[in-house]
Amino acid sequence: MKLTVWTYEGPPHVGAMRVATGMRDLHYVLHAPQGDTYADLLFTMIERRNHRPPVTYTTFQAQDLGSDTANLFKTAAQDAYDRFRPQAIIVGASCTAELIQDDPAGLAETMGLPVPVIPLELPSYSRKENFGADETFFQIVRHLAKPVEKTARVTANILGPTGLGFRHRDDVEEITGLLADLGVEVNVVAPMDATPADIARLGAAHFNVLLYPETGEAAARWLSREHGQPWTKTIPIGTGATRDFVAEVAEIAGVRPEADESRLRFPWWSKSVDSTYLTGKRVFLFGDATHVKAMARVARDEMGFEVVGLGCYNREFARDIRALAKDYGVEALITDDYLEVERRIEDLAPEMILGTQMERHIGKRLGIPCAVISAPVHVQDFPARYSPVMGFEGANVLFDTLVHPLVMGLEEHLLAMFREDFEFHDEAGPSHHGGKATRRAEAPGGEDGGPAPQTPRSISAKMMGEDAAPAEGAPAPAAGSDVVTWLADAERELRKIPFFVRGKAKRNTEKYAAERGVTEISVDTLYEAKAHYAR
Amino acid sequence: MTEHRMPLTGGCTDTPILKQRGQREVFCGLTGIIWLHRKMQDAFFLVVGSRTCAHLLQSAAGVMIFAEPRFGTAILEEKDLAGMACANEELDREVARLLERRPDIRQLFLVGSCPSEVIKLDLAKAAERLSKEHAPHVRVLNYSGSGIETTFTQGEDACLASMVPELGATDRRNLLLVGALPDVVEDQMKKLVGDLGIDDVQVLPAPRSDAYPEVGPNTVFALTQPFLSDTAAALQRRGARHIPAPFPFGEEGTTAWLAALAEEFGVGRDRFEQVTAAPRARARKAIAAQAAELSDKSVFFFPDSQLEIPLARFLTRECGMRAEEVGSPYIHKEIHGPDLALMEQGPTLSEGQDVDLQLDRCRAARPDLTVCGLGLANPLEAEGLSTKWAIELVFTPVHFYEQAGDLAGLFSRPLRRRAALKLEAAR
């Protein structure tokens, strides 16, 4: 057993739903108890779909347990076929149904439905959502893809986009356009918007473009083996990766590697002087492995950030991420426990987080700006506007996404210049966040300047809940703060440091002092530490 | 006094109930945790279940999940399914870790789920064992919020029912008001009841474990929520007596609910008038502002929370709507009876669900407003039907006089929005 509050991934049958909901004319009959229909609202609300997911649940209840559930399954499958007349049906069990020993595959087979019935084995107690999507898509492809003649013109399939995928809708459009520029036509996009009939003619393409290894790699491997289709390994996220992708496609397809870069603005935006302040911004990356891998390159090589840490929640890609971390000279964090992520972020004290919805909230709590780069995401990351993250327009989108949470360069400069100004003090808040500038409250004791600013509250304090009193005699949470004290002068000096780097300055100074056995921090200690840590 | 009493028979009392069985598009009882943990400030709800359960709570809790809430899921792993003894040890370890980390917790609910029920993990015994281990600081209780046994708000019923045997005994003639209400509503309710001169009043659930109410043979109780049948039965087993009443939605419902208490406690007619006249007038006025939009419109309820019958009564009697179908996951005649008695004959009453058949009926009826869950709302909007998503009715303050206008507003807003949006070209 493992105590969990946040989960980065749902159970595997939700992955299967993502494939089914992404497709058309396919129906999923899911053996599941009453209540599992909650997953419908992920699609109707977060993704704002205008139709119900094509899923029929058996919704068995306690009184049905026993032999009745098998009949219930058969009835549900028959009703679903009669009502929806899909081209193919996938059948499977959710976590509870996995325990009750009905065999959806066997039951469905005996029914003699006039369409292909594809059984799914999704181990709910050991695997998760991404596996469920990957495996489901693989099984669909394995059952339905027929040997077919290759198209006369050079075509490719786009593999991996699903329902509830982070920016999948617009990535597909962007990459379809990019391929068209190169003279490569798209044969089938799958699972997104594909019908079982489309899956049958996957083999007609000359090669596959795998956009999301998490949800399409098993199918890509199988198609490579059975249909001789090579697949692209580069994920076209960021300027450099998109150019690499163009080169890779050109080589596989035998076309000229000339893509239209006329709308690509990222490189110039990043070179322009207002971006200079981005240099060496310390960033931490976390999310699904594919997006983290791609975004680490964007962050370091294209934005000029310093990557201080990275990790992913999907263990299937742990090896890749470890190798990547080595390249970047940082330690990989492979975990699905958000508390570990939070701890790591706190330790590293980055200036920016590139992460998921969870990291956005961790960032909010710790006062660190965050941009969302990966699922799981919430409704605001299924935007109405065109916002791919792949291809050249995707690169433009990424530049904006990564810069907006940071205070703009000029604004940052002005804030630093006027940091003691009555309007530009700490509590005023960034002007573009809708806050209203307020005058600084007079500190009690006039010159004293008030207490030293707080480092973010520790995790242990948060675990106790908002209203919990700290246990008596518990050590002070901030590392080092129980052994070193700040002299009043040093405290005042610390307050002059802009608020967005002050936490780091405080920690560095305390660390510096602790390492040297200094118990009282003076202005000199502060500046010695600053010189020591200067890059 | 009697003039405020509402009839207990008539209306839809004898309307045959359409019972269907098939796919049910409903939440399981685990979702009750989302609002229950806000009401019980020193309680932690530990679901023993699968990743699906954790994912459900996360999806249902929305942004609340990020506020370090007092609930979580002990996710069963493969090794837990292999043998029972192991699962108990694992649970004990996780509970010990949790309680060490959260010393502010005084009540711990082990919440059963479908997986834990199917593998017959004995959480009742576990609660007993852990209660002993962590006494006297922490009381460990157990109930099931599994989908196979409970639908949505029934999770609250199961939770409160599990607390009833824990309540202290008394011989006092006290009044117990049962059902978790938003704090602001609870305060209004207590003030109204107090102003009527009923002074020994307690609420279940209480905000903290040291304020558990007492119950005994002279206790009377009234329900503020219609989904509390098991809790009512548990209280009756302890000798308490139920005061049947329509539920306090709208001016009429609130007045009828208060009148039932007033009659039970022999409150004089003058006093009742004095206490209720002003808020009744306010409520009527506030409802009238919204009712213009709702009058003569038809409404169709999909089953969700068991609030459907009293809400349909409010919408039809106080807002002038016409009910096409009123679906409820469960209908308890003894609890929903007073509201059924007030509702004019006409609507189909349905209990349970076969969602595809019910959608067919809904499409055929083409109601002006459809009350349904979030899995159906956008798809129905896309088909051109106006919807009101039902979960909001459980989370938003809607009971009693001061919220009566807001309650009507929840239903009128989708219609107003539909009329306001002009997305076509002007020419």
Side-chain angles (χ1 to χ4, degrees):
Chain A
M1 264 178 227
K2 187 169 175 357
L3 183 61
T4 310
V5 181
W6 297 357
T7 60
Y8 283 96
E9 291 183 71
H13 74 259
V14 168
M17 283 182 72
R18 287 177 52 187
V19 171
T21 308
M23 288 181 66
R24 288 179 294 127
D25 289 332
L26 176 92
H27 204 84
Y28 185 14
V29 182
L30 178 60
H31 205 15
Q34 164 174 276
D36 278 5
T37 52
Y38 82 87
D40 282 1
L41 68 89
L42 303 171
F43 298 91
T44 60
M45 297 307 289
I46 295 180
E47 204 179 5
R48 260 186 255 254
R49 293 223 170 221
N50 62 3
H51 60 86
R52 297 174 62 213
V55 183
T56 293
Y57 305 80
T58 55
T59 53
F60 56 85
Q61 295 175 266
Q63 73 254 25
D64 305 320
L65 290 178
S67 62
D68 211 4
T69 50
N71 275 326
L72 215 58
F73 179 85
K74 281 185 167 177
T75 313
Q78 188 65 51
D79 285 355
Y81 175 75
D82 293 344
R83 178 172 285 267
F84 300 104
R85 300 275 161 172
Q87 293 175 15
I89 291 181
I90 54 177
V91 299
S94 80
C95 51
T96 305
E98 196 182 325
L99 299 171
I100 61 174
Q101 318 265 310
D102 292 336
D103 170 20
L107 290 170
E109 258 168 44
T110 62
M111 293 172 62
L113 292 170
V115 292
V117 173
I118 303 163
L120 301 174
E121 286 293 340
L122 302 176
S124 311
Y125 296 91
S126 55
R127 309 307 292 266
K128 292 181 244 172
E129 180 178 329
N130 281 333
F131 170 83
D134 192 51
E135 171 70 11
T136 302
F137 182 45
F138 164 59
Q139 291 299 344
I140 290 171
V141 170
R142 195 172 73 90
H143 277 81
L144 301 180
K146 299 277 179 336
V148 283
E149 214 167 297
K150 295 270 181 283
T151 54
R153 277 172 299 188
V154 184
T155 57
N157 300 312
I158 292 182
L159 301 182
T162 63
L164 215 65
F166 175 65
R167 307 293 169 87
H168 288 193
R169 177 195 71 195
D170 297 342
D171 285 349
V172 166
E173 186 172 336
E174 189 64 20
I175 296 306
T176 302
L178 186 64
L179 291 172
D181 285 351
L182 295 170
V184 176
E185 236 173 82
V186 171
N187 179 50
V188 171
V189 178
M192 186 187 270
D193 288 335
T195 62
D198 294 331
I199 301 291
R201 53 185 188 83
L202 277 175
H206 292 227
F207 67 103
N208 288 315
V209 169
L210 175 61
L211 290 189
Y212 309 100
E214 269 84 355
T215 49
E217 191 167 326
R221 283 181 189 283
W222 185 86
L223 286 166
S224 160
R225 224 170 33 239
E226 300 292 322
H227 293 261
Q229 294 169 325
W231 84 89
T232 56
K233 310 295 190 299
T234 315
I235 306 302
I237 295 180
T239 306
T242 302
R243 287 171 175 161
D244 289 348
F245 175 79
V246 167
E248 190 182 3
V249 167
E251 200 184 312
I252 295 175
V255 296
R256 291 161 64 86
E258 281 166 7
D260 175 13
E261 293 196 6
S262 60
R263 288 172 305 118
L264 174 64
R265 286 175 283 271
F266 183 121
W268 166 242
W269 252 244
S270 192
K271 282 178 193 161
S272 74
V273 294
D274 194 52
S275 299
T276 312
Y277 81 105
L278 299 172
T279 316
K281 283 263 182 216
R282 307 171 72 253
V283 297
F284 176 81
L285 295 105
F286 197 83
D288 69 49
T290 295
H291 283 90
V292 165
K293 247 196 288 189
M295 289 305 294
R297 177 173 175 186
V298 172
R300 184 183 67 182
D301 300 343
E302 301 179 20
M303 297 296 282
F305 293 157
E306 181 193 351
V307 173
V308 295
L310 56 83
C312 73
Y313 56 77
N314 46 342
R315 279 175 196 284
E316 291 90 340
F317 292 79
R319 188 185 299 221
D320 288 13
I321 287 295
R322 289 210 178 89
L324 179 78
K326 214 168 189 183
D327 282 354
Y328 281 71
V330 296
E331 201 186 328
L333 178 64
I334 315 292
T335 182
D336 58 358
D337 182 347
Y338 69 98
L339 289 173
E340 270 185 57
V341 178
E342 191 174 57
R343 223 169 294 140
R344 181 66 62 88
I345 290 175
E346 221 167 10
D347 288 348
L348 293 170
E351 290 162 272
M352 188 183 198
I353 307 167
L354 307 183
T356 73
Q357 195 60 215
M358 318 309 196
E359 283 69 45
R360 194 168 69 82
H361 284 269
I362 291 172
K364 209 184 243 178
R365 187 180 285 174
L366 299 176
I368 302 171
C370 178
V372 172
I373 58 156
S374 158
V377 293
H378 205 40
V379 63
Q380 68 266 38
D381 276 301
F382 284 92
R385 68 177 184 278
Y386 184 57
S387 17
V389 295
M390 290 186 173
F392 294 129
E393 184 57 24
N396 295 337
V397 168
L398 284 177
F399 183 86
D400 292 346
T401 307
L402 298 194
V403 161
H404 281 176
L406 299 167
V407 184
M408 300 299 284
L410 189 59
E411 197 171 344
E412 179 168 317
H413 176 66
L414 290 173
L415 273 173
M417 227 164 106
F418 298 118
R419 65 193 169 209
E420 289 296 282
D421 188 281
F422 73 101
E423 278 172 328
F424 290 108
H425 56 89
D426 303 353
E427 292 90 39
S431 58
H432 59 289
H433 287 173
K436 187 170 174 291
T438 50
R439 270 169 188 275
R440 187 203 298 275
E442 283 304 318
E447 268 302 278
D448 192 36
Q454 297 294 304
T455 43
R457 295 181 307 140
S458 80
I459 294 174
S460 57
K462 276 188 297 287
M463 305 274 288
M464 318 250 296
E466 293 293 326
D467 46 357
E472 255 177 71
S481 65
D482 52 341
V483 287
V484 293
T485 46
W486 286 75
L487 297 173
D489 277 0
E491 230 176 80
R492 262 197 304 278
E493 199 67 16
L494 181 65
R495 289 186 66 86
K496 292 181 191 164
I497 297 170
F499 62 89
F500 39 83
V501 289
R502 193 183 301 144
K504 191 172 68 167
K506 180 167 188 269
R507 263 190 298 276
N508 281 350
T509 309
E510 286 171 356
K511 194 170 154 216
Y512 178 84
E515 279 167 10
R516 278 156 192 76
V518 176
T519 52
E520 289 186 335
I521 294 173
S522 66
V523 176
D524 285 340
T525 325
L526 179 64
Y527 283 114
E528 275 161 24
K530 184 173 189 292
H532 178 78
Y533 287 106
R535 283 193 298 265
Chain B
M1 235 339 290
T2 46
E3 67 181 353
H4 293 303
R5 285 307 304 262
M6 297 291 184
L8 295 179
T9 56
C12 291
T13 306
D14 299 320
T15 302
I17 293 170
L18 174 67
K19 293 189 185 185
Q20 277 180 336
R21 170 178 160 153
Q23 183 180 197
R24 292 166 71 115
E25 183 91 16
V26 288
F27 280 128
C28 66
L30 294 182
T31 19
I33 292 170
I34 310 291
W35 66 87
L36 279 173
H37 89 282
R38 302 307 308 158
K39 277 308 285 184
M40 296 189 238
Q41 296 161 13
D42 56 3
F44 192 101
F45 293 80
L46 179 62
V47 177
V48 182
S50 64
R51 179 167 301 280
T52 309
C53 308
H55 196 235
L56 158 86
L57 283 177
Q58 173 166 322
S59 308
V63 294
M64 218 190 255
I65 203 88
F66 301 109
E68 199 66 50
R70 280 174 287 101
F71 60 79
T73 309
I75 295 186
L76 293 163
E77 295 168 297
E78 256 175 344
K79 60 181 181 315
D80 300 307
L81 304 175
M84 293 289 82
C86 173
N88 283 324
E89 278 167 34
E90 293 267 312
L91 180 62
D92 291 5
R93 190 197 63 222
E94 285 302 325
V95 165
R97 268 182 53 191
L98 170 70
L99 292 177
E100 193 181 345
R101 218 168 67 179
R102 303 287 304 256
D104 53 321
I105 298 306
R106 307 297 304 270
Q107 326 177 56
L108 176 68
F109 289 93
L110 301 179
V111 188
S113 66
C114 301
S116 76
E117 297 293 328
V118 166
I119 64 169
K120 306 217 183 314
L121 188 56
D122 194 342
L123 291 181
K125 206 169 254 170
E128 222 172 90
R129 184 177 68 238
L130 287 163
S131 244
K132 270 187 208 132
E133 194 172 322
H134 297 281
H137 188 71
V138 184
R139 192 195 312 240
V140 185
L141 299 175
N142 145 258
Y143 72 90
S144 171
S146 72
I148 57 177
E149 289 157 304
T150 58
T151 303
F152 194 30
T153 48
Q154 275 187 302
E156 174 173 335
D157 190 25
C159 173
L160 300 191
S162 79
M163 298 171 76
V164 171
E166 298 287 311
L167 305 182
T170 182
D171 281 330
R172 297 199 322 272
R173 172 170 163 76
N174 60 346
L175 171 64
L176 207 52
L177 300 174
V178 188
L181 293 175
D183 289 345
V184 54
V185 176
E186 190 176 306
D187 290 346
Q188 289 168 16
M189 169 182 77
K190 284 191 203 150
K191 177 154 193 324
L192 283 165
V193 173
D195 288 349
L196 288 177
I198 308 170
D199 44 22
D200 195 346
V201 181
Q202 289 169 303
V203 290
L204 182 71
R208 305 191 69 84
S209 64
D210 50 17
Y212 269 31
E214 285 113 23
V215 66
N218 295 314
T219 301
V220 288
F221 68 93
L223 303 178
T224 60
Q225 301 279 25
F227 43 75
L228 297 172
S229 58
D230 284 355
T231 309
L235 286 167
Q236 280 160 345
R237 279 196 293 277
R238 299 269 319 250
R241 186 162 50 79
H242 177 216
I243 306 171
F247 286 91
F249 298 112
E251 180 269 319
E252 209 180 44
T254 306
T255 304
W257 187 87
L258 287 170
L261 298 191
E263 188 177 271
E264 170 68 31
F265 283 87
V267 178
R269 196 166 132 177
D270 289 350
R271 181 153 195 178
F272 188 84
E273 282 302 324
Q274 196 189 340
V275 170
T276 60
R280 288 180 71 181
R282 278 201 300 273
R284 272 197 298 266
K285 190 175 160 200
I287 293 168
Q290 307 292 336
E293 225 100 32
L294 296 171
S295 184
D296 294 327
K297 301 279 192 336
S298 58
V299 60
F300 191 109
F301 281 90
F302 279 81
D304 190 55
S305 61
Q306 298 185 43
L307 294 169
E308 296 84 5
I309 288 172
L311 289 175
R313 184 262 301 152
F314 164 70
L315 289 175
T316 52
R317 288 179 62 100
E318 298 189 51
C319 302
M321 293 190 91
R322 193 177 71 255
E324 294 279 357
E325 173 163 340
V326 183
S328 177
Y330 296 99
I331 299 176
H332 302 279
K333 275 288 167 67
E334 56 292 16
I335 288 175
H336 299 118
D339 283 298
L340 283 174
L342 290 172
M343 210 155 52
E344 221 175 281
Q345 285 180 21
T348 304
L349 295 182
S350 63
E351 183 180 20
Q353 185 176 39
D354 181 321
V355 71
D356 285 313
L357 297 180
Q358 194 166 30
L359 280 166
D360 289 345
R361 292 199 299 278
C362 181
R363 289 174 184 129
R366 287 212 68 84
D368 294 305
L369 187 67
T370 304
V371 184
C372 61
L374 291 172
L376 298 177
N378 271 336
L380 286 175
E381 290 279 351
E383 291 181 26
L385 293 173
S386 281
T387 61
K388 164 73 220 130
W389 45 284
I391 309 169
E392 200 178 5
L393 300 160
V394 177
F395 288 106
T396 312
V398 292
H399 294 68
F400 292 95
Y401 291 128
E402 311 306 341
Q403 284 67 240
D406 303 341
L407 176 59
L410 288 178
F411 295 96
S412 66
R413 196 173 302 124
L415 298 176
R416 235 178 15 251
R417 179 167 184 79
R418 190 182 182 78
L421 289 184
K422 293 181 178 62
L423 297 166
E424 311 307 322
R427 40 165 293 174

